[in-house]
Amino acid sequence: SLQQVPWMINTYILNVQVELSQGTREIGSFRTYDKESYKIKKPLIENPETAELSWDDAKEDPELLKKKKKAYAIRKQAEQEEKTDAQKTIATKRALEMAYRFSQYERFYMPWYFDNRLRQYCLVDTLNPQGSDNVKAMIMFADGVPKSEASYRDILISLATTFGNGLDKLSYEERIEGAKRMIPVFESVAENPLLEKNLKFWTKADEPFQFLALLNEYFHVFIKCDQTHHFVSSGRDATCSGIQLAGALLRDAKTCRL
């Protein structure tokens, strides 16, 4: 069943992430590195007394030598941190490259497998619905479902859940009311997500890119009304994993539905 589900790239989210990747960013699981902007974001402030001081000159004064060694250690630590931060961006780069490759297709499919506990995992390790927030947000269903009263309720619950900040701990009805309070800013955020005030709004969500994907879809389906179907997944927490595993082990459909 899972392998028969067609997916497509959410080009709206892909384009937002491509724009953000031009500089050094850290938005949840989304991390990018650019040498010039990194230096601006994390400048190395050195003591003027030791910055231009040569090792030979420093050796002539024990106190200066001590300061020079300390400054050198700070510089080496900063260089190592920069190297580590740059390496952390590899996963983001791979996901963006893969999303760009598949953005030309109207639909694609993913292979799945069961592990020895009968849990289901996607064989694709770059773009899949089990990935990190920025990865999940870049893919959506190729076959949408028409908007309805049920889909209106679902998307509001999902907006509150992905926004988090306490909203995700409330009842479904309270999540719906919490999401409704945010609706007035949806048009501005959807149309200009990188505007500074809008960027600050959606990036404070617990799952920022999934929240932005849902926000954009809500805008097109229920505000602008130029879209009649939903394509962004509307997730729910799995709170009964023990029952899920028991149902899978017993091959019992009724238990699995529970």
Side-chain angles (χ1 to χ4, degrees), residues 14-49:
L14 172 60
N15 291 335
V16 169
Q17 291 191 18
V18 168
E19 283 292 319
L20 290 170
S21 69
Q22 304 307 308
T24 298
R25 297 276 185 174
E26 184 173 343
I27 303 172
S29 54
F30 178 84
R31 295 181 176 185
T32 58
Y33 168 79
D34 169 71
K35 195 170 186 65
E36 289 186 13
S37 59
Y38 187 92
K39 299 295 185 186
I40 296 171
K41 188 178 180 182
K42 294 186 177 182
L44 176 62
I45 302 172
E46 293 191 78
N47 186 339
E49 190 178 12

PDB file of all heavy atoms in Angstrom, residues 14-49:
ATOM      1  N   LEU A  14      10.489  24.014  -1.527  1.00  0.00           N
ATOM      2  CA  LEU A  14      11.807  23.865  -2.144  1.00  0.00           C
ATOM      3  C   LEU A  14      12.403  25.232  -2.471  1.00  0.00           C
ATOM      4  O   LEU A  14      13.573  25.505  -2.167  1.00  0.00           O
ATOM      5  CB  LEU A  14      11.703  23.020  -3.420  1.00  0.00           C
ATOM      6  CG  LEU A  14      12.969  22.938  -4.292  1.00  0.00           C
ATOM      7  CD1 LEU A  14      14.134  22.341  -3.511  1.00  0.00           C
ATOM      8  CD2 LEU A  14      12.689  22.134  -5.558  1.00  0.00           C
ATOM      9  N   ASN A  15      11.607  26.106  -3.076  1.00  0.00           N
ATOM     10  CA  ASN A  15      12.103  27.434  -3.447  1.00  0.00           C
ATOM     11  C   ASN A  15      12.475  28.263  -2.223  1.00  0.00           C
ATOM     12  O   ASN A  15      13.472  29.004  -2.236  1.00  0.00           O
ATOM     13  CB  ASN A  15      11.058  28.172  -4.281  1.00  0.00           C
ATOM     14  CG  ASN A  15      10.872  27.565  -5.662  1.00  0.00           C
ATOM     15  OD1 ASN A  15      11.780  26.916  -6.186  1.00  0.00           O
ATOM     16  ND2 ASN A  15       9.704  27.739  -6.247  1.00  0.00           N
ATOM     17  N   VAL A  16      11.692  28.147  -1.155  1.00  0.00           N
ATOM     18  CA  VAL A  16      12.007  28.870   0.088  1.00  0.00           C
ATOM     19  C   VAL A  16      13.343  28.389   0.647  1.00  0.00           C
ATOM     20  O   VAL A  16      14.208  29.186   1.034  1.00  0.00           O
ATOM     21  CB  VAL A  16      10.889  28.687   1.138  1.00  0.00           C
ATOM     22  CG1 VAL A  16      11.339  29.200   2.506  1.00  0.00           C
ATOM     23  CG2 VAL A  16       9.624  29.417   0.705  1.00  0.00           C
ATOM     24  N   GLN A  17      13.539  27.060   0.655  1.00  0.00           N
ATOM     25  CA  GLN A  17      14.779  26.512   1.199  1.00  0.00           C
ATOM     26  C   GLN A  17      15.981  26.858   0.323  1.00  0.00           C
ATOM     27  O   GLN A  17      17.082  27.103   0.843  1.00  0.00           O
ATOM     28  CB  GLN A  17      14.650  24.998   1.375  1.00  0.00           C
ATOM     29  CG  GLN A  17      13.683  24.606   2.476  1.00  0.00           C
ATOM     30  CD  GLN A  17      13.743  23.130   2.825  1.00  0.00           C
ATOM     31  OE1 GLN A  17      14.711  22.431   2.506  1.00  0.00           O
ATOM     32  NE2 GLN A  17      12.710  22.636   3.485  1.00  0.00           N
ATOM     33  N   VAL A  18      15.789  26.893  -0.981  1.00  0.00           N
ATOM     34  CA  VAL A  18      16.883  27.267  -1.881  1.00  0.00           C
ATOM     35  C   VAL A  18      17.311  28.714  -1.606  1.00  0.00           C
ATOM     36  O   VAL A  18      18.501  29.028  -1.548  1.00  0.00           O
ATOM     37  CB  VAL A  18      16.470  27.095  -3.360  1.00  0.00           C
ATOM     38  CG1 VAL A  18      17.488  27.763  -4.284  1.00  0.00           C
ATOM     39  CG2 VAL A  18      16.364  25.609  -3.699  1.00  0.00           C
ATOM     40  N   GLU A  19      16.331  29.597  -1.426  1.00  0.00           N
ATOM     41  CA  GLU A  19      16.636  30.995  -1.112  1.00  0.00           C
ATOM     42  C   GLU A  19      17.397  31.103   0.209  1.00  0.00           C
ATOM     43  O   GLU A  19      18.378  31.833   0.320  1.00  0.00           O
ATOM     44  CB  GLU A  19      15.341  31.813  -1.026  1.00  0.00           C
ATOM     45  CG  GLU A  19      14.733  32.161  -2.368  1.00  0.00           C
ATOM     46  CD  GLU A  19      15.581  33.152  -3.152  1.00  0.00           C
ATOM     47  OE1 GLU A  19      16.113  34.098  -2.551  1.00  0.00           O
ATOM     48  OE2 GLU A  19      15.736  32.951  -4.368  1.00  0.00           O
ATOM     49  N   LEU A  20      16.936  30.370   1.211  1.00  0.00           N
ATOM     50  CA  LEU A  20      17.579  30.406   2.523  1.00  0.00           C
ATOM     51  C   LEU A  20      18.992  29.827   2.494  1.00  0.00           C
ATOM     52  O   LEU A  20      19.851  30.230   3.276  1.00  0.00           O
ATOM     53  CB  LEU A  20      16.727  29.642   3.542  1.00  0.00           C
ATOM     54  CG  LEU A  20      15.405  30.288   3.936  1.00  0.00           C
ATOM     55  CD1 LEU A  20      14.564  29.313   4.755  1.00  0.00           C
ATOM     56  CD2 LEU A  20      15.644  31.564   4.740  1.00  0.00           C
ATOM     57  N   SER A  21      19.223  28.886   1.577  1.00  0.00           N
ATOM     58  CA  SER A  21      20.530  28.216   1.518  1.00  0.00           C
ATOM     59  C   SER A  21      21.631  29.098   0.953  1.00  0.00           C
ATOM     60  O   SER A  21      22.797  28.703   0.946  1.00  0.00           O
ATOM     61  CB  SER A  21      20.422  26.930   0.680  1.00  0.00           C
ATOM     62  OG  SER A  21      20.212  27.234  -0.692  1.00  0.00           O
ATOM     63  N   GLN A  22      21.279  30.307   0.490  1.00  0.00           N
ATOM     64  CA  GLN A  22      22.301  31.203  -0.050  1.00  0.00           C
ATOM     65  C   GLN A  22      23.177  31.788   1.050  1.00  0.00           C
ATOM     66  O   GLN A  22      24.227  32.369   0.775  1.00  0.00           O
ATOM     67  CB  GLN A  22      21.636  32.346  -0.845  1.00  0.00           C
ATOM     68  CG  GLN A  22      20.722  31.876  -1.966  1.00  0.00           C
ATOM     69  CD  GLN A  22      21.391  30.899  -2.918  1.00  0.00           C
ATOM     70  OE1 GLN A  22      22.470  31.167  -3.438  1.00  0.00           O
ATOM     71  NE2 GLN A  22      20.747  29.763  -3.142  1.00  0.00           N
ATOM     72  N   GLY A  23      22.761  31.659   2.286  1.00  0.00           N
ATOM     73  CA  GLY A  23      23.548  32.159   3.413  1.00  0.00           C
ATOM     74  C   GLY A  23      23.697  31.092   4.479  1.00  0.00           C
ATOM     75  O   GLY A  23      23.368  29.929   4.271  1.00  0.00           O
ATOM     76  N   THR A  24      24.224  31.471   5.623  1.00  0.00           N
ATOM     77  CA  THR A  24      24.377  30.555   6.751  1.00  0.00           C
ATOM     78  C   THR A  24      23.104  30.610   7.587  1.00  0.00           C
ATOM     79  O   THR A  24      22.752  31.659   8.121  1.00  0.00           O
ATOM     80  CB  THR A  24      25.589  30.942   7.608  1.00  0.00           C
ATOM     81  OG1 THR A  24      26.776  30.851   6.810  1.00  0.00           O
ATOM     82  CG2 THR A  24      25.730  30.020   8.818  1.00  0.00           C
ATOM     83  N   ARG A  25      22.426  29.480   7.672  1.00  0.00           N
ATOM     84  CA  ARG A  25      21.148  29.420   8.398  1.00  0.00           C
ATOM     85  C   ARG A  25      21.071  28.179   9.266  1.00  0.00           C
ATOM     86  O   ARG A  25      21.642  27.135   8.936  1.00  0.00           O
ATOM     87  CB  ARG A  25      19.971  29.383   7.424  1.00  0.00           C
ATOM     88  CG  ARG A  25      19.812  30.608   6.551  1.00  0.00           C
ATOM     89  CD  ARG A  25      19.045  31.704   7.252  1.00  0.00           C
ATOM     90  NE  ARG A  25      18.792  32.821   6.367  1.00  0.00           N
ATOM     91  CZ  ARG A  25      18.038  33.856   6.690  1.00  0.00           C
ATOM     92  NH1 ARG A  25      17.471  33.913   7.873  1.00  0.00           N
ATOM     93  NH2 ARG A  25      17.855  34.848   5.832  1.00  0.00           N
ATOM     94  N   GLU A  26      20.324  28.295  10.354  1.00  0.00           N
ATOM     95  CA  GLU A  26      19.986  27.136  11.173  1.00  0.00           C
ATOM     96  C   GLU A  26      18.552  27.320  11.634  1.00  0.00           C
ATOM     97  O   GLU A  26      18.268  28.099  12.537  1.00  0.00           O
ATOM     98  CB  GLU A  26      20.927  26.994  12.371  1.00  0.00           C
ATOM     99  CG  GLU A  26      20.653  25.735  13.176  1.00  0.00           C
ATOM    100  CD  GLU A  26      21.678  25.476  14.269  1.00  0.00           C
ATOM    101  OE1 GLU A  26      22.768  26.067  14.220  1.00  0.00           O
ATOM    102  OE2 GLU A  26      21.366  24.679  15.170  1.00  0.00           O
ATOM    103  N   ILE A  27      17.644  26.621  10.955  1.00  0.00           N
ATOM    104  CA  ILE A  27      16.218  26.691  11.277  1.00  0.00           C
ATOM    105  C   ILE A  27      15.768  25.269  11.573  1.00  0.00           C
ATOM    106  O   ILE A  27      15.471  24.491  10.670  1.00  0.00           O
ATOM    107  CB  ILE A  27      15.397  27.287  10.117  1.00  0.00           C
ATOM    108  CG1 ILE A  27      15.930  28.679   9.744  1.00  0.00           C
ATOM    109  CG2 ILE A  27      13.924  27.358  10.482  1.00  0.00           C
ATOM    110  CD1 ILE A  27      15.311  29.256   8.494  1.00  0.00           C
ATOM    111  N   GLY A  28      15.763  24.914  12.833  1.00  0.00           N
ATOM    112  CA  GLY A  28      15.454  23.539  13.200  1.00  0.00           C
ATOM    113  C   GLY A  28      16.478  22.592  12.609  1.00  0.00           C
ATOM    114  O   GLY A  28      17.691  22.737  12.817  1.00  0.00           O
ATOM    115  N   SER A  29      16.020  21.619  11.826  1.00  0.00           N
ATOM    116  CA  SER A  29      16.917  20.632  11.207  1.00  0.00           C
ATOM    117  C   SER A  29      17.546  21.152   9.919  1.00  0.00           C
ATOM    118  O   SER A  29      18.408  20.497   9.338  1.00  0.00           O
ATOM    119  CB  SER A  29      16.124  19.349  10.912  1.00  0.00           C
ATOM    120  OG  SER A  29      14.964  19.648  10.145  1.00  0.00           O
ATOM    121  N   PHE A  30      17.121  22.317   9.466  1.00  0.00           N
ATOM    122  CA  PHE A  30      17.633  22.908   8.227  1.00  0.00           C
ATOM    123  C   PHE A  30      18.885  23.717   8.541  1.00  0.00           C
ATOM    124  O   PHE A  30      18.840  24.701   9.281  1.00  0.00           O
ATOM    125  CB  PHE A  30      16.559  23.806   7.614  1.00  0.00           C
ATOM    126  CG  PHE A  30      16.976  24.517   6.349  1.00  0.00           C
ATOM    127  CD1 PHE A  30      16.878  23.886   5.119  1.00  0.00           C
ATOM    128  CD2 PHE A  30      17.453  25.818   6.394  1.00  0.00           C
ATOM    129  CE1 PHE A  30      17.244  24.544   3.952  1.00  0.00           C
ATOM    130  CE2 PHE A  30      17.816  26.488   5.236  1.00  0.00           C
ATOM    131  CZ  PHE A  30      17.722  25.846   4.016  1.00  0.00           C
ATOM    132  N   ARG A  31      20.025  23.288   7.966  1.00  0.00           N
ATOM    133  CA  ARG A  31      21.290  23.975   8.228  1.00  0.00           C
ATOM    134  C   ARG A  31      22.052  24.189   6.931  1.00  0.00           C
ATOM    135  O   ARG A  31      22.240  23.246   6.147  1.00  0.00           O
ATOM    136  CB  ARG A  31      22.151  23.155   9.192  1.00  0.00           C
ATOM    137  CG  ARG A  31      21.538  23.018  10.579  1.00  0.00           C
ATOM    138  CD  ARG A  31      22.427  22.237  11.503  1.00  0.00           C
ATOM    139  NE  ARG A  31      21.895  22.187  12.849  1.00  0.00           N
ATOM    140  CZ  ARG A  31      22.521  21.641  13.888  1.00  0.00           C
ATOM    141  NH1 ARG A  31      23.705  21.085  13.713  1.00  0.00           N
ATOM    142  NH2 ARG A  31      21.961  21.647  15.090  1.00  0.00           N
ATOM    143  N   THR A  32      22.475  25.421   6.713  1.00  0.00           N
ATOM    144  CA  THR A  32      23.257  25.736   5.519  1.00  0.00           C
ATOM    145  C   THR A  32      24.481  26.549   5.921  1.00  0.00           C
ATOM    146  O   THR A  32      24.519  27.168   6.996  1.00  0.00           O
ATOM    147  CB  THR A  32      22.434  26.546   4.502  1.00  0.00           C
ATOM    148  OG1 THR A  32      21.969  27.750   5.121  1.00  0.00           O
ATOM    149  CG2 THR A  32      21.248  25.740   4.009  1.00  0.00           C
ATOM    150  N   TYR A  33      25.492  26.538   5.046  1.00  0.00           N
ATOM    151  CA  TYR A  33      26.762  27.208   5.360  1.00  0.00           C
ATOM    152  C   TYR A  33      27.264  27.996   4.167  1.00  0.00           C
ATOM    153  O   TYR A  33      27.290  27.504   3.041  1.00  0.00           O
ATOM    154  CB  TYR A  33      27.813  26.164   5.752  1.00  0.00           C
ATOM    155  CG  TYR A  33      29.229  26.691   5.821  1.00  0.00           C
ATOM    156  CD1 TYR A  33      29.667  27.415   6.931  1.00  0.00           C
ATOM    157  CD2 TYR A  33      30.129  26.464   4.779  1.00  0.00           C
ATOM    158  CE1 TYR A  33      30.966  27.901   6.996  1.00  0.00           C
ATOM    159  CE2 TYR A  33      31.426  26.943   4.836  1.00  0.00           C
ATOM    160  CZ  TYR A  33      31.844  27.662   5.942  1.00  0.00           C
ATOM    161  OH  TYR A  33      33.122  28.140   6.003  1.00  0.00           O
ATOM    162  N   ASP A  34      27.621  29.232   4.421  1.00  0.00           N
ATOM    163  CA  ASP A  34      28.250  30.103   3.437  1.00  0.00           C
ATOM    164  C   ASP A  34      29.390  30.816   4.160  1.00  0.00           C
ATOM    165  O   ASP A  34      29.160  31.439   5.206  1.00  0.00           O
ATOM    166  CB  ASP A  34      27.239  31.120   2.899  1.00  0.00           C
ATOM    167  CG  ASP A  34      27.917  32.218   2.080  1.00  0.00           C
ATOM    168  OD1 ASP A  34      28.381  31.920   0.963  1.00  0.00           O
ATOM    169  OD2 ASP A  34      27.983  33.363   2.579  1.00  0.00           O
ATOM    170  N   LYS A  35      30.595  30.731   3.646  1.00  0.00           N
ATOM    171  CA  LYS A  35      31.774  31.204   4.364  1.00  0.00           C
ATOM    172  C   LYS A  35      31.686  32.679   4.744  1.00  0.00           C
ATOM    173  O   LYS A  35      31.961  33.067   5.879  1.00  0.00           O
ATOM    174  CB  LYS A  35      33.032  30.955   3.530  1.00  0.00           C
ATOM    175  CG  LYS A  35      34.329  31.066   4.329  1.00  0.00           C
ATOM    176  CD  LYS A  35      35.518  30.582   3.529  1.00  0.00           C
ATOM    177  CE  LYS A  35      36.786  30.559   4.362  1.00  0.00           C
ATOM    178  NZ  LYS A  35      36.717  29.579   5.475  1.00  0.00           N
ATOM    179  N   GLU A  36      31.280  33.512   3.797  1.00  0.00           N
ATOM    180  CA  GLU A  36      31.235  34.952   4.069  1.00  0.00           C
ATOM    181  C   GLU A  36      30.195  35.308   5.133  1.00  0.00           C
ATOM    182  O   GLU A  36      30.480  36.050   6.074  1.00  0.00           O
ATOM    183  CB  GLU A  36      30.949  35.715   2.773  1.00  0.00           C
ATOM    184  CG  GLU A  36      32.126  35.713   1.799  1.00  0.00           C
ATOM    185  CD  GLU A  36      31.857  36.608   0.599  1.00  0.00           C
ATOM    186  OE1 GLU A  36      30.892  37.401   0.657  1.00  0.00           O
ATOM    187  OE2 GLU A  36      32.605  36.495  -0.385  1.00  0.00           O
ATOM    188  N   SER A  37      28.982  34.783   4.975  1.00  0.00           N
ATOM    189  CA  SER A  37      27.935  35.109   5.949  1.00  0.00           C
ATOM    190  C   SER A  37      28.212  34.450   7.302  1.00  0.00           C
ATOM    191  O   SER A  37      27.781  34.948   8.342  1.00  0.00           O
ATOM    192  CB  SER A  37      26.560  34.685   5.428  1.00  0.00           C
ATOM    193  OG  SER A  37      26.524  33.302   5.158  1.00  0.00           O
ATOM    194  N   TYR A  38      28.935  33.322   7.299  1.00  0.00           N
ATOM    195  CA  TYR A  38      29.298  32.668   8.559  1.00  0.00           C
ATOM    196  C   TYR A  38      30.197  33.582   9.378  1.00  0.00           C
ATOM    197  O   TYR A  38      30.040  33.710  10.592  1.00  0.00           O
ATOM    198  CB  TYR A  38      30.000  31.336   8.289  1.00  0.00           C
ATOM    199  CG  TYR A  38      30.261  30.518   9.547  1.00  0.00           C
ATOM    200  CD1 TYR A  38      29.341  29.575   9.985  1.00  0.00           C
ATOM    201  CD2 TYR A  38      31.421  30.696  10.298  1.00  0.00           C
ATOM    202  CE1 TYR A  38      29.557  28.827  11.132  1.00  0.00           C
ATOM    203  CE2 TYR A  38      31.653  29.961  11.460  1.00  0.00           C
ATOM    204  CZ  TYR A  38      30.717  29.029  11.871  1.00  0.00           C
ATOM    205  OH  TYR A  38      30.943  28.304  13.020  1.00  0.00           O
ATOM    206  N   LYS A  39      31.163  34.227   8.710  1.00  0.00           N
ATOM    207  CA  LYS A  39      32.093  35.126   9.398  1.00  0.00           C
ATOM    208  C   LYS A  39      31.350  36.310  10.012  1.00  0.00           C
ATOM    209  O   LYS A  39      31.726  36.812  11.066  1.00  0.00           O
ATOM    210  CB  LYS A  39      33.153  35.643   8.426  1.00  0.00           C
ATOM    211  CG  LYS A  39      34.029  34.560   7.803  1.00  0.00           C
ATOM    212  CD  LYS A  39      34.881  33.851   8.837  1.00  0.00           C
ATOM    213  CE  LYS A  39      35.832  32.860   8.166  1.00  0.00           C
ATOM    214  NZ  LYS A  39      36.571  32.046   9.167  1.00  0.00           N
ATOM    215  N   ILE A  40      30.291  36.760   9.326  1.00  0.00           N
ATOM    216  CA  ILE A  40      29.503  37.879   9.838  1.00  0.00           C
ATOM    217  C   ILE A  40      28.657  37.430  11.030  1.00  0.00           C
ATOM    218  O   ILE A  40      28.521  38.137  12.033  1.00  0.00           O
ATOM    219  CB  ILE A  40      28.588  38.451   8.739  1.00  0.00           C
ATOM    220  CG1 ILE A  40      29.456  39.043   7.603  1.00  0.00           C
ATOM    221  CG2 ILE A  40      27.647  39.510   9.291  1.00  0.00           C
ATOM    222  CD1 ILE A  40      28.669  39.447   6.375  1.00  0.00           C
ATOM    223  N   LYS A  41      28.098  36.209  10.897  1.00  0.00           N
ATOM    224  CA  LYS A  41      27.231  35.685  11.944  1.00  0.00           C
ATOM    225  C   LYS A  41      28.016  35.314  13.198  1.00  0.00           C
ATOM    226  O   LYS A  41      27.562  35.542  14.322  1.00  0.00           O
ATOM    227  CB  LYS A  41      26.483  34.445  11.413  1.00  0.00           C
ATOM    228  CG  LYS A  41      25.415  33.914  12.345  1.00  0.00           C
ATOM    229  CD  LYS A  41      24.694  32.741  11.728  1.00  0.00           C
ATOM    230  CE  LYS A  41      23.611  32.196  12.652  1.00  0.00           C
ATOM    231  NZ  LYS A  41      22.927  31.024  12.074  1.00  0.00           N
ATOM    232  N   LYS A  42      29.190  34.716  12.993  1.00  0.00           N
ATOM    233  CA  LYS A  42      30.027  34.303  14.126  1.00  0.00           C
ATOM    234  C   LYS A  42      31.439  34.870  13.972  1.00  0.00           C
ATOM    235  O   LYS A  42      32.391  34.148  13.661  1.00  0.00           O
ATOM    236  CB  LYS A  42      30.084  32.772  14.211  1.00  0.00           C
ATOM    237  CG  LYS A  42      28.750  32.127  14.551  1.00  0.00           C
ATOM    238  CD  LYS A  42      28.908  30.636  14.774  1.00  0.00           C
ATOM    239  CE  LYS A  42      27.595  29.982  15.177  1.00  0.00           C
ATOM    240  NZ  LYS A  42      27.752  28.526  15.432  1.00  0.00           N
ATOM    241  N   PRO A  43      31.577  36.179  14.154  1.00  0.00           N
ATOM    242  CA  PRO A  43      32.897  36.793  13.982  1.00  0.00           C
ATOM    243  C   PRO A  43      33.867  36.379  15.091  1.00  0.00           C
ATOM    244  O   PRO A  43      33.468  36.202  16.243  1.00  0.00           O
ATOM    245  CB  PRO A  43      32.584  38.299  14.054  1.00  0.00           C
ATOM    246  CG  PRO A  43      31.366  38.373  14.921  1.00  0.00           C
ATOM    247  CD  PRO A  43      30.561  37.147  14.577  1.00  0.00           C
ATOM    248  N   LEU A  44      35.131  36.248  14.715  1.00  0.00           N
ATOM    249  CA  LEU A  44      36.169  35.940  15.696  1.00  0.00           C
ATOM    250  C   LEU A  44      36.775  37.262  16.155  1.00  0.00           C
ATOM    251  O   LEU A  44      37.465  37.942  15.393  1.00  0.00           O
ATOM    252  CB  LEU A  44      37.250  35.044  15.076  1.00  0.00           C
ATOM    253  CG  LEU A  44      38.448  34.727  15.982  1.00  0.00           C
ATOM    254  CD1 LEU A  44      37.985  33.951  17.214  1.00  0.00           C
ATOM    255  CD2 LEU A  44      39.505  33.931  15.221  1.00  0.00           C
ATOM    256  N   ILE A  45      36.473  37.643  17.381  1.00  0.00           N
ATOM    257  CA  ILE A  45      36.981  38.916  17.924  1.00  0.00           C
ATOM    258  C   ILE A  45      38.292  38.634  18.653  1.00  0.00           C
ATOM    259  O   ILE A  45      38.317  37.974  19.695  1.00  0.00           O
ATOM    260  CB  ILE A  45      35.951  39.545  18.876  1.00  0.00           C
ATOM    261  CG1 ILE A  45      34.628  39.782  18.130  1.00  0.00           C
ATOM    262  CG2 ILE A  45      36.480  40.851  19.460  1.00  0.00           C
ATOM    263  CD1 ILE A  45      33.487  40.227  19.015  1.00  0.00           C
ATOM    264  N   GLU A  46      39.378  39.134  18.090  1.00  0.00           N
ATOM    265  CA  GLU A  46      40.697  38.895  18.666  1.00  0.00           C
ATOM    266  C   GLU A  46      41.205  40.120  19.418  1.00  0.00           C
ATOM    267  O   GLU A  46      40.862  41.259  19.095  1.00  0.00           O
ATOM    268  CB  GLU A  46      41.687  38.524  17.562  1.00  0.00           C
ATOM    269  CG  GLU A  46      41.393  37.186  16.908  1.00  0.00           C
ATOM    270  CD  GLU A  46      42.530  36.721  16.023  1.00  0.00           C
ATOM    271  OE1 GLU A  46      43.524  36.219  16.561  1.00  0.00           O
ATOM    272  OE2 GLU A  46      42.416  36.885  14.805  1.00  0.00           O
ATOM    273  N   ASN A  47      42.052  39.877  20.371  1.00  0.00           N
ATOM    274  CA  ASN A  47      42.718  40.944  21.124  1.00  0.00           C
ATOM    275  C   ASN A  47      43.706  41.664  20.209  1.00  0.00           C
ATOM    276  O   ASN A  47      44.610  41.028  19.663  1.00  0.00           O
ATOM    277  CB  ASN A  47      43.460  40.334  22.318  1.00  0.00           C
ATOM    278  CG  ASN A  47      44.060  41.385  23.226  1.00  0.00           C
ATOM    279  OD1 ASN A  47      44.274  42.533  22.817  1.00  0.00           O
ATOM    280  ND2 ASN A  47      44.338  40.992  24.465  1.00  0.00           N
ATOM    281  N   PRO A  48      43.527  42.968  20.002  1.00  0.00           N
ATOM    282  CA  PRO A  48      44.441  43.706  19.099  1.00  0.00           C
ATOM    283  C   PRO A  48      45.904  43.551  19.490  1.00  0.00           C
ATOM    284  O   PRO A  48      46.796  43.619  18.645  1.00  0.00           O
ATOM    285  CB  PRO A  48      43.978  45.164  19.257  1.00  0.00           C
ATOM    286  CG  PRO A  48      42.585  45.074  19.739  1.00  0.00           C
ATOM    287  CD  PRO A  48      42.515  43.850  20.599  1.00  0.00           C
ATOM    288  N   GLU A  49      46.136  43.321  20.768  1.00  0.00           N
ATOM    289  CA  GLU A  49      47.501  43.196  21.263  1.00  0.00           C
ATOM    290  C   GLU A  49      48.198  41.956  20.726  1.00  0.00           C
ATOM    291  O   GLU A  49      49.408  41.935  20.536  1.00  0.00           O
ATOM    292  CB  GLU A  49      47.493  43.162  22.804  1.00  0.00           C
ATOM    293  CG  GLU A  49      48.874  43.277  23.437  1.00  0.00           C
ATOM    294  CD  GLU A  49      48.819  43.296  24.953  1.00  0.00           C
ATOM    295  OE1 GLU A  49      47.759  43.006  25.524  1.00  0.00           O
ATOM    296  OE2 GLU A  49      49.852  43.594  25.560  1.00  0.00           O
TER     297      GLU A  49
END
